[in-house]
Amino acid sequence: MPTFSEVFRVSGARMESLAEMREPVRLLEDIFAAAERNRGLDVEDAASLIAGAREPGRRAEIRTAAQRVRENVAPHTVEFVIPVYLTSFCENECLYCGYRQSNPLAERVRLSLDEFSRELDLILSWGHRQIELVLSEDPEFGPEVLARYVELTRRKLDGLGGGVVGLCSPVYERQDYVALRAAGLEWVVEWQETYHQPHFDRWHVTGSPKRDFEYRLDLWDRVIPAGITKIALGALLGLYDWRYDVLATIEHGNHLRRAYGLEPHAIGIPRLKPARGVLASQKPSRFTVSDDDYRLILSLYHLAFPRSRLFFNTRENYEMNISNVAAGDLFTVDCDTFPGGYLRNDTPGQFSTHGFPTRREVAGVLAARGLKSLYLEAETALPASEPQSTVVQPDTLKWREEHAKIRAALQDWQAILAGLVLHPGENLADRQAALAALRMTMHFFKTYAMEHCRKEENAFFRAFAANSHSSAKLQAFRNSHERLGIDLDKFERQMASYQLSGDPSVLLTLGERTIRELNEHLVAEEEFVEGQSAVVARAACPDPSGSRP
Ligand code: SF4
């Protein structure tokens, strides 16, 4: 039996022209009838639907047909699933991801088994019984280590009457999946990201282990023979033309049907979203998927995989998800993308997520539509021995020393820019000297200063996030750190232009602005902490007059 990479080497070549089709080659009504009869779509019919949907009036027809096909086979249930991140160390450089190796804004944490156990207890006490373990490509967190976390999850779920252990991780060898299955793993979630190899190569920088496109394509040809038949596949929408990636996903699903007689348990529908320190995600690109196209994609997947569950997650806002979720889908309500994030609360993670109503409210909304929630049990109390979180005040002395060091570096940066005004760079030696000094300055900001920002931000959130006034301020500081990361990236790119052209004007404008904003930011933070300290002092001594009743 050929693996999918062997199949796709041939069929993938057609995908581009199918994605570009302007007119359907069959009547849409015939395609709907075939989908109903065959319980699926071949890529040619899917391409005809996409072509037909170029006429906006036909999208409603596709949606109605998808609902009809789906209703005939889907169970009247929605499965709840909660992701639990185990590590944020990553040796990959996926340009769309907040955990890419070179992102200085990413906080790196690897949960010990004890820490994970505590977080799992919290999640289980909320009633969750379908746990998706998520990890990045951390060289110290291979499948043997992971098996211990799977086994612990399995044991705790069994102790509560059962549940499901899922996994979203780097891709492994077949024997690794055999071992993970023996430890209690039941299903595997993996996105191809994009099926278009030239763009896959562009998004996954040289040196990333993940860059092996065909090894990833053949993942299911290792997982399924290892005995794990519950799988979720898909593409990250927004990395390339969605038409191509949707068709390729359908082709991949059809390969699994042909090769293994198996329907995917779930289909991923993630759209690219902003992430901290990720320039690529900050503004829309030509591949950004509109809400209207997104809804069309859901219908196409419902027609192509009527028995599979679409995987709704908190990358989308609640209104979008609740208006689209249907019988037989998967739904995430609680989502923290940072290891230990459910215990710590409010730590920026892999990508930005939306806040949702409580899991009980969402279950209530689904119940009102006649949909039973699976894998969400009644809430229970946490074990009494669970350590209570304590609020630790930021170390203001150390923090002020760090601000002083950053201010000194800002002055150095300012002096180098002033030198560029005097000697704009016609002379090659001057230019090279200025660039060498700027590189050292950038290195300082991208390492020391960013590390300071990250730690300070976390400490502030833990200590001061309780009241809404502080929360707004803290969010403003967080945004400012985010902007700094992006400005440093831009400044570095402008350094490269200056090296070629000798014209420093853009470099000067960007540098001056960043320096000014950073100085203002340092002042604002210092004033904030002084204000908060005064609040703490007043709380400790509520009656300054000293009078007593
Ligand atoms: S997408 Fe995954 S593998 Fe890539 S950088 Fe992010 S965490 Fe690492």
Side-chain angles (χ1 to χ4, degrees):
M1 184 66 64
T3 63
F4 186 59
S5 67
E6 289 162 340
V7 171
F8 199 62
R9 251 175 250 152
V10 179
S11 65
R14 289 183 300 133
M15 227 49 77
E16 202 93 58
S17 54
L18 286 172
E20 284 167 9
M21 255 169 50
R22 308 303 299 179
E23 297 290 338
V25 294
R26 285 180 79 191
L27 288 175
L28 299 201
E29 293 68 24
D30 291 347
I31 297 173
F32 299 149
E36 204 148 4
R37 220 174 26 251
N38 303 331
R39 304 203 166 159
L41 281 179
D42 60 34
V43 280
E44 286 76 12
D45 280 351
S48 276
L49 292 180
I50 290 172
R54 290 181 191 271
E55 199 186 310
R58 307 223 64 180
R59 292 185 172 213
E61 276 176 58
I62 296 172
R63 189 176 170 97
T64 306
Q67 284 165 348
R68 196 178 55 243
V69 169
R70 176 85 165 165
E71 270 160 17
N72 289 336
V73 292
H76 276 244
T77 57
V78 169
E79 288 186 6
F80 274 56
V81 56
I82 180 167
V84 186
Y85 278 62
L86 303 181
T87 172
S88 57
F89 287 87
C90 191
E91 53 182 344
N92 279 313
E93 189 65 18
C94 310
L95 294 177
Y96 47 82
C97 176
Y99 286 161
R100 69 191 163 84
Q101 189 181 40
S102 70
N103 184 4
L105 275 170
E107 185 172 355
R108 307 296 176 177
V109 166
R110 185 181 296 120
L111 289 190
S112 69
L113 203 55
D114 275 354
E115 289 164 334
F116 169 65
S117 177
R118 281 210 303 280
E119 181 154 82
L120 190 55
D121 283 343
L122 176 67
I123 287 164
L124 295 173
S125 77
W126 293 342
H128 284 289
R129 295 295 182 270
Q130 179 154 234
I131 312 294
E132 180 198 5
L133 305 178
V134 183
L135 63 157
S136 41
E137 193 129 11
D138 178 348
E140 296 194 19
F141 214 123
E144 316 75 36
V145 177
L146 173 61
R148 299 208 291 273
Y149 291 69
V150 171
E151 200 271 331
L152 178 69
T153 313
R154 177 77 274 148
R155 203 154 19 92
K156 288 200 185 230
L157 283 170
D158 287 349
L160 291 166
V164 178
V165 190
L167 175 68
C168 180
S169 70
V171 294
Y172 301 130
E173 289 295 320
R174 175 178 163 169
Q175 66 269 21
D176 297 323
Y177 289 109
V178 172
L180 289 167
R181 179 172 173 247
L185 182 67
E186 279 173 272
W187 72 294
V188 177
V189 179
E190 208 72 64
W191 315 143
Q192 181 62 29
E193 314 302 8
T194 172
Y195 283 85
H196 189 257
Q197 187 163 9
H199 278 82
F200 184 93
D201 291 348
R202 245 171 259 170
W203 284 109
H204 303 97
V205 169
T206 309
S208 296
K210 188 168 167 180
R211 202 173 145 87
D212 191 339
F213 179 73
E214 294 205 338
Y215 185 67
R216 196 170 185 86
L217 275 186
D218 287 339
L219 165 73
W220 305 120
D221 300 294
R222 300 191 296 278
V223 171
I224 296 167
I228 299 174
T229 51
K230 216 170 161 183
I231 61 125
L233 56 83
L236 175 55
L237 302 165
L239 298 184
Y240 183 57
D241 181 1
W242 65 263
R243 294 169 184 83
Y244 182 100
D245 274 328
V246 167
L247 291 175
T249 301
I250 293 173
E251 176 72 347
H252 204 165
N254 287 341
H255 163 74
L256 301 183
R257 284 179 174 132
R258 287 191 297 266
Y260 307 104
L262 175 149
E263 297 288 329
H265 176 65
I267 304 294
I269 46 173
R271 273 194 290 187
L272 183 62
K273 293 288 169 179
R276 303 201 82 209
V278 175
L279 193 55
S281 67
Q282 299 302 320
K283 46 185 182 189
S285 78
R286 67 196 167 108
F287 300 133
T288 298
V289 179
S290 69
D291 286 353
D292 203 31
D293 286 342
Y294 184 66
R295 289 194 192 90
L296 172 66
I297 292 166
L298 304 185
S299 299
L300 293 168
Y301 281 153
H302 271 158
L303 281 165
F305 305 106
R307 284 169 290 202
S308 304
R309 294 176 182 268
L310 298 195
F311 195 157
F312 288 87
N313 65 61
T314 56
R315 283 174 184 260
E316 302 298 333
N317 66 41
Y318 175 68
E319 291 69 30
M320 170 62 90
N321 278 356
I322 202 72
S323 65
N324 286 299
V325 67
D329 284 335
L330 266 170
F331 208 78
T332 300
V333 173
D334 296 296
C335 178
D336 196 304
T337 62
F338 187 76
Y342 296 108
L343 284 170
R344 281 173 55 158
N345 210 3
D346 208 10
T347 309
Q350 187 185 23
F351 51 84
S352 65
T353 55
H354 291 271
F356 273 35
T358 67
R359 57 200 85 92
R360 300 292 149 197
E361 284 172 63
V362 175
V365 171
L366 295 173
R369 290 195 208 159
L371 300 174
K372 184 173 171 358
S373 295
L374 294 182
Y375 304 121
L376 185 68
E377 302 296 324
E379 301 200 7
T380 52
L382 262 179
S385 59
E386 199 58 30
Q388 299 301 306
S389 64
T390 50
V391 173
V392 179
Q393 296 294 322
D395 179 350
T396 44
L397 197 60
K398 179 163 180 288
W399 168 76
R400 279 183 184 283
E401 281 169 11
E402 290 177 356
H403 272 202
K405 223 166 161 178
I406 292 170
R407 281 200 170 92
L410 284 173
Q411 281 175 5
D412 290 346
W413 190 358
Q414 184 82 65
I416 303 167
L417 294 183
L420 286 184
V421 177
L422 292 174
H423 310 285
E426 295 91 0
N427 175 316
L428 184 62
D430 284 350
R431 207 188 308 169
Q432 282 174 340
L435 282 168
L438 281 174
R439 277 194 199 101
M440 279 176 62
T441 307
M442 283 306 102
H443 181 70
F444 171 86
F445 279 100
K446 293 198 96 170
T447 53
Y448 182 91
M450 294 305 278
E451 172 79 359
H452 160 83
C453 291
R454 200 172 45 62
K455 284 193 179 147
E456 178 189 67
E457 189 182 289
N458 286 336
F460 280 8
F461 263 90
R462 263 175 252 159
F464 305 128
N467 71 65
S468 59
H469 173 68
S470 298
S471 298
K473 271 274 187 203
L474 294 173
Q475 191 55 48
F477 294 146
R478 179 176 277 176
N479 294 344
S480 172
H481 294 156
E482 171 81 0
R483 262 199 318 280
L484 171 62
I486 290 167
D487 284 346
L488 293 176
D489 274 346
K490 281 188 194 159
F491 190 84
E492 279 195 322
R493 280 206 309 278
Q494 288 306 324
M495 280 167 55
S497 310
Y498 170 67
Q499 183 163 15
L500 292 173
S501 68
D503 175 4
S505 49
V506 182
L507 206 55
L508 284 168
T509 311
L510 188 56
E512 296 286 357
R513 196 195 75 207
T514 308
I515 291 168
R516 189 184 62 251
E517 286 184 357
L518 251 169
N519 270 316
E520 289 168 2
H521 170 75
L522 295 176
V523 171
E525 281 186 337
E526 285 161 7
E527 287 175 356
F528 172 75
V529 170
E530 266 162 32
Q532 291 296 324
S533 304
V535 171
V536 171
R538 275 202 300 280
C541 180
D543 186 357
S545 68
S547 62
R548 293 283 183 276

